[in-house]
Structures are given as structure tokens and as C-alpha cells.
Coordinates of all heavy atoms in Angstrom, one line a residue:
L1 N 0.8 -5.3 -21.6 CA 0.4 -4.3 -22.6 C 0.6 -2.9 -22.1 O 1.1 -2.0 -22.8 CB -1.1 -4.5 -23.0 CG -1.5 -5.7 -23.8 CD1 -3.0 -5.8 -23.9 CD2 -0.8 -5.7 -25.2
G2 N 0.2 -2.7 -20.8 CA 0.3 -1.4 -20.2 C 1.7 -0.9 -20.1 O 2.0 0.3 -20.1
A3 N 2.7 -1.9 -20.0 CA 4.1 -1.5 -19.8 C 4.6 -0.7 -20.9 O 5.5 0.2 -20.7 CB 4.9 -2.8 -19.6
T4 N 4.1 -1.0 -22.1 CA 4.6 -0.2 -23.3 C 4.2 1.3 -23.1 O 4.9 2.2 -23.5 CB 4.0 -0.8 -24.6 OG1 2.6 -0.7 -24.5 CG2 4.4 -2.2 -24.8
G5 N 2.9 1.5 -22.6 CA 2.5 2.9 -22.4 C 3.2 3.5 -21.3 O 3.5 4.7 -21.3
I6 N 3.5 2.8 -20.2 CA 4.2 3.3 -19.0 C 5.6 3.8 -19.5 O 6.0 4.9 -19.1 CB 4.3 2.3 -18.0 CG1 2.9 2.0 -17.4 CG2 5.3 2.7 -16.8 CD1 2.9 0.8 -16.4
I7 N 6.3 3.0 -20.2 CA 7.7 3.3 -20.7 C 7.6 4.5 -21.6 O 8.4 5.5 -21.4 CB 8.3 2.1 -21.4 CG1 8.5 1.0 -20.4 CG2 9.6 2.5 -22.1 CD1 8.9 -0.3 -21.1
A8 N 6.6 4.6 -22.5 CA 6.6 5.7 -23.4 C 6.2 7.0 -22.7 O 6.8 8.0 -23.0 CB 5.5 5.4 -24.5
N9 N 5.3 6.9 -21.7 CA 4.9 8.1 -21.0 C 6.1 8.6 -20.1 O 6.3 9.8 -20.0 CB 3.7 7.8 -20.1 CG 2.4 7.7 -20.9 OD1 2.3 8.2 -22.1 ND2 1.4 7.0 -20.4
Y10 N 6.7 7.7 -19.5 CA 7.9 8.0 -18.6 C 9.0 8.7 -19.5 O 9.6 9.7 -19.1 CB 8.4 6.8 -17.9 CG 9.6 7.1 -17.1 CD1 9.5 7.6 -15.8 CD2 10.9 6.8 -17.5 CE1 10.6 7.9 -15.0 CE2 12.0 7.1 -16.7 CZ 11.8 7.7 -15.5 OH 12.9 7.9 -14.7
W11 N 9.3 8.1 -20.6 CA 10.3 8.7 -21.5 C 10.0 10.0 -22.0 O 10.9 10.9 -22.1 CB 10.5 7.7 -22.7 CG 11.7 8.0 -23.6 CD1 11.6 8.7 -24.8 CD2 13.0 7.7 -23.4 NE1 12.8 8.8 -25.3 CE2 13.7 8.3 -24.5 CE3 13.7 7.1 -22.3 CZ2 15.1 8.2 -24.6 CZ3 15.1 7.0 -22.5 CH2 15.8 7.5 -23.5
E12 N 8.7 10.3 -22.3 CA 8.3 11.6 -22.8 C 7.9 12.6 -21.7 O 7.6 13.7 -21.9 CB 7.1 11.4 -23.7 CG 7.4 10.6 -24.9 CD 6.2 10.3 -25.7 OE1 5.1 10.9 -25.4 OE2 6.3 9.5 -26.7
G13 N 8.1 12.2 -20.4 CA 7.8 13.0 -19.3 C 6.4 13.3 -19.1 O 6.0 14.3 -18.4
K14 N 5.5 12.4 -19.5 CA 4.1 12.5 -19.3 C 3.6 11.8 -18.1 O 4.3 10.9 -17.6 CB 3.3 12.0 -20.5 CG 3.6 12.7 -21.8 CD 2.9 12.0 -23.0 CE 3.1 12.7 -24.3 NZ 2.4 12.1 -25.4
P15 N 2.5 12.2 -17.5 CA 1.9 11.5 -16.3 C 1.7 10.0 -16.7 O 1.3 9.7 -17.8 CB 0.7 12.2 -16.0 CG 0.8 13.5 -16.6 CD 1.6 13.3 -17.8
L16 N 1.9 9.1 -15.7 CA 1.7 7.7 -16.0 C 0.2 7.3 -16.0 O -0.2 6.3 -16.6 CB 2.5 6.9 -14.9 CG 4.0 7.0 -14.9 CD1 4.6 6.0 -13.9 CD2 4.6 6.8 -16.3
F17 N -0.6 8.1 -15.2 CA -2.0 7.8 -15.1 C -2.7 9.1 -15.6 O -2.2 10.2 -15.5 CB -2.4 7.6 -13.6 CG -1.8 6.3 -13.1 CD1 -0.6 6.5 -12.3 CD2 -2.3 5.1 -13.2 CE1 0.0 5.4 -11.7 CE2 -1.8 4.0 -12.6 CZ -0.6 4.1 -11.9
P18 N -4.0 8.9 -16.0 CA -4.8 10.1 -16.3 C -5.0 11.0 -15.0 O -5.1 10.4 -13.9 CB -6.2 9.5 -16.7 CG -5.8 8.1 -17.1 CD -4.7 7.7 -16.3
T19 N -4.9 12.3 -15.1 CA -4.9 13.1 -14.0 C -6.2 14.0 -13.8 O -6.4 14.6 -12.8 CB -3.7 14.1 -14.0 OG1 -3.7 14.8 -15.2 CG2 -2.4 13.3 -13.9
E20 N -7.0 13.9 -14.8 CA -8.3 14.7 -14.8 C -9.4 13.9 -15.3 O -9.3 13.1 -16.2 CB -8.1 16.0 -15.7 CG -7.1 17.0 -15.2 CD -7.1 18.2 -16.1 OE1 -7.9 18.3 -17.0 OE2 -6.2 19.1 -15.9
F21 N -10.6 14.1 -14.6 CA -11.8 13.4 -15.1 C -12.3 14.0 -16.3 O -12.3 15.2 -16.6 CB -12.8 13.5 -14.0 CG -14.2 12.9 -14.4 CD1 -14.4 11.6 -14.4 CD2 -15.1 13.8 -15.0 CE1 -15.7 11.0 -14.8 CE2 -16.4 13.2 -15.4 CZ -16.6 11.9 -15.3
S22 N -12.8 13.1 -17.2 CA -13.5 13.5 -18.4 C -14.4 12.4 -18.9 O -14.2 11.3 -18.6 CB -12.6 13.9 -19.6 OG -11.9 12.8 -20.0
W23 N -15.5 12.8 -19.6 CA -16.4 11.7 -20.2 C -15.6 10.8 -21.2 O -15.9 9.6 -21.1 CB -17.6 12.4 -20.7 CG -18.5 12.9 -19.6 CD1 -18.7 14.2 -19.3 CD2 -19.3 12.1 -18.7 NE1 -19.6 14.2 -18.2 CE2 -20.0 13.0 -17.9 CE3 -19.5 10.7 -18.5 CZ2 -20.8 12.6 -16.9 CZ3 -20.3 10.3 -17.6 CH2 -21.0 11.2 -16.7
P24 N -14.8 11.4 -22.0 CA -14.0 10.4 -22.9 C -13.2 9.4 -22.1 O -13.0 8.3 -22.5 CB -13.1 11.4 -23.7 CG -13.9 12.7 -23.7 CD -14.6 12.7 -22.4
L25 N -12.7 9.9 -20.9 CA -11.9 9.0 -20.1 C -12.8 7.8 -19.5 O -12.4 6.7 -19.5 CB -11.3 9.7 -18.9 CG -10.4 8.9 -17.9 CD1 -9.2 8.4 -18.6 CD2 -10.0 9.8 -16.7
V26 N -14.0 8.1 -19.1 CA -15.0 7.1 -18.7 C -15.2 6.1 -19.9 O -15.3 4.9 -19.6 CB -16.3 7.7 -18.3 CG1 -17.3 6.6 -17.9 CG2 -16.1 8.6 -17.1
N27 N -15.3 6.6 -21.1 CA -15.5 5.7 -22.2 C -14.3 4.8 -22.4 O -14.5 3.6 -22.6 CB -15.7 6.6 -23.5 CG -15.9 5.7 -24.7 OD1 -16.8 4.9 -24.8 ND2 -15.0 5.9 -25.6
V28 N -13.1 5.4 -22.3 CA -11.9 4.6 -22.5 C -11.7 3.6 -21.5 O -11.3 2.4 -21.8 CB -10.7 5.6 -22.7 CG1 -9.4 4.8 -22.6 CG2 -10.8 6.3 -23.9
L29 N -12.0 3.9 -20.2 CA -11.6 3.0 -19.1 C -12.8 2.1 -18.7 O -12.5 1.0 -18.0 CB -11.2 3.8 -17.9 CG -9.9 4.6 -18.1 CD1 -9.5 5.3 -16.8 CD2 -8.7 3.8 -18.5
V30 N -14.0 2.4 -19.0 CA -15.1 1.7 -18.5 C -16.0 1.1 -19.7 O -16.1 -0.1 -19.8 CB -16.0 2.5 -17.6 CG1 -17.2 1.6 -17.1 CG2 -15.2 3.0 -16.4
T31 N -16.5 2.0 -20.5 CA -17.4 1.5 -21.5 C -16.7 0.7 -22.6 O -17.3 -0.4 -22.9 CB -18.1 2.8 -22.2 OG1 -18.6 3.7 -21.3 CG2 -19.1 2.4 -23.2
A32 N -15.6 1.1 -23.1 CA -14.9 0.4 -24.1 C -14.5 -1.0 -23.6 O -14.8 -2.0 -24.3 CB -13.7 1.2 -24.7
P33 N -13.8 -1.2 -22.5 CA -13.4 -2.5 -22.1 C -14.6 -3.5 -21.9 O -14.6 -4.6 -22.3 CB -12.7 -2.3 -20.8 CG -12.2 -0.9 -20.9 CD -13.2 -0.1 -21.6
L34 N -15.7 -3.0 -21.3 CA -16.9 -3.8 -21.0 C -17.6 -4.2 -22.3 O -17.8 -5.4 -22.5 CB -17.8 -3.1 -20.0 CG -17.4 -3.0 -18.6 CD1 -18.3 -2.1 -17.8 CD2 -17.4 -4.4 -17.9
L35 N -18.0 -3.2 -23.1 CA -18.8 -3.5 -24.2 C -18.1 -4.1 -25.4 O -18.6 -5.0 -26.1 CB -19.5 -2.2 -24.7 CG -20.4 -1.5 -23.6 CD1 -21.2 -0.4 -24.2 CD2 -21.3 -2.5 -22.8
E36 N -16.9 -3.6 -25.6 CA -16.1 -4.2 -26.7 C -15.7 -5.7 -26.5 O -15.7 -6.5 -27.4 CB -14.8 -3.4 -27.0 CG -15.1 -2.0 -27.6 CD -13.8 -1.2 -27.9 OE1 -12.7 -1.8 -27.8 OE2 -14.0 -0.1 -28.3
E37 N -15.4 -6.0 -25.2 CA -15.0 -7.3 -24.9 C -16.2 -8.3 -24.9 O -16.1 -9.4 -25.3 CB -14.3 -7.4 -23.5 CG -12.9 -6.7 -23.5 CD -12.0 -7.2 -24.7 OE1 -11.8 -8.5 -24.7 OE2 -11.5 -6.4 -25.4
F38 N -17.3 -7.8 -24.4 CA -18.5 -8.6 -24.5 C -18.9 -9.0 -25.9 O -19.2 -10.1 -26.2 CB -19.7 -7.9 -23.8 CG -20.9 -8.7 -23.7 CD1 -21.0 -9.8 -22.9 CD2 -22.0 -8.4 -24.5 CE1 -22.2 -10.6 -22.9 CE2 -23.2 -9.2 -24.5 CZ -23.3 -10.3 -23.7
L39 N -18.8 -8.0 -26.8 CA -19.1 -8.2 -28.2 C -18.0 -9.1 -28.9 O -18.3 -10.2 -29.4 CB -19.2 -6.9 -28.9 CG -19.3 -7.0 -30.5 CD1 -20.6 -7.7 -30.9 CD2 -19.2 -5.6 -31.1
M40 N -16.7 -8.7 -28.8 CA -15.7 -9.3 -29.6 C -15.2 -10.6 -29.1 O -14.8 -11.5 -29.8 CB -14.6 -8.3 -29.9 CG -15.0 -7.0 -30.6 SD -15.8 -7.4 -32.2 CE -14.7 -8.5 -33.0
R41 N -15.0 -10.6 -27.8 CA -14.4 -11.9 -27.2 C -15.6 -12.8 -26.7 O -15.6 -14.0 -27.0 CB -13.5 -11.6 -26.0 CG -12.0 -11.8 -26.3 CD -11.6 -11.0 -27.5 NE -11.5 -9.5 -27.3 CZ -11.0 -8.7 -28.2 NH1 -10.6 -9.1 -29.4 NH2 -11.0 -7.4 -28.0
G42 N -16.5 -12.2 -25.9 CA -17.6 -13.0 -25.4 C -18.5 -13.6 -26.5 O -18.9 -14.8 -26.4

């Protein structure tokens, strides 16, 4: 799944990884995967 984002970011000249800390980033990388998966898959 991530490969699609890597290719798109590389093609558009964007960083492959997030480069700055932010609370929305914590939500996207930690809160969403944990809580959404526990609810929807678990």
C-alpha cells in the first residue's frame, strides 16, 4: 500500500517521510491505526 504513496511522492518531488512533528501526524500514524483497526477489524 505504501509503495503507491512512495512513487507518488517521489514523482512529485515531495519528501518520502513526514519531516516535521505535529499532533495531526500522531493521530495519523498512531491513533488511527490502533483505534480504527481495533474497532473495524478486531
Side-chain angles (χ1 to χ4, degrees):
L1 290 172
T4 61
I6 292 173
I7 293 170
N9 288 337
Y10 179 79
W11 185 261
E12 296 172 10
K14 297 178 181 179
L16 299 184
F17 299 94
T19 56
E20 296 181 3
F21 172 84
S22 68
W23 287 107
L25 182 64
V26 176
N27 177 61
V28 167
L29 296 184
V30 180
T31 309
L34 285 171
L35 303 189
E36 289 182 9
E37 292 308 304
F38 182 70
L39 169 64
M40 296 307 306
R41 253 56 69 177

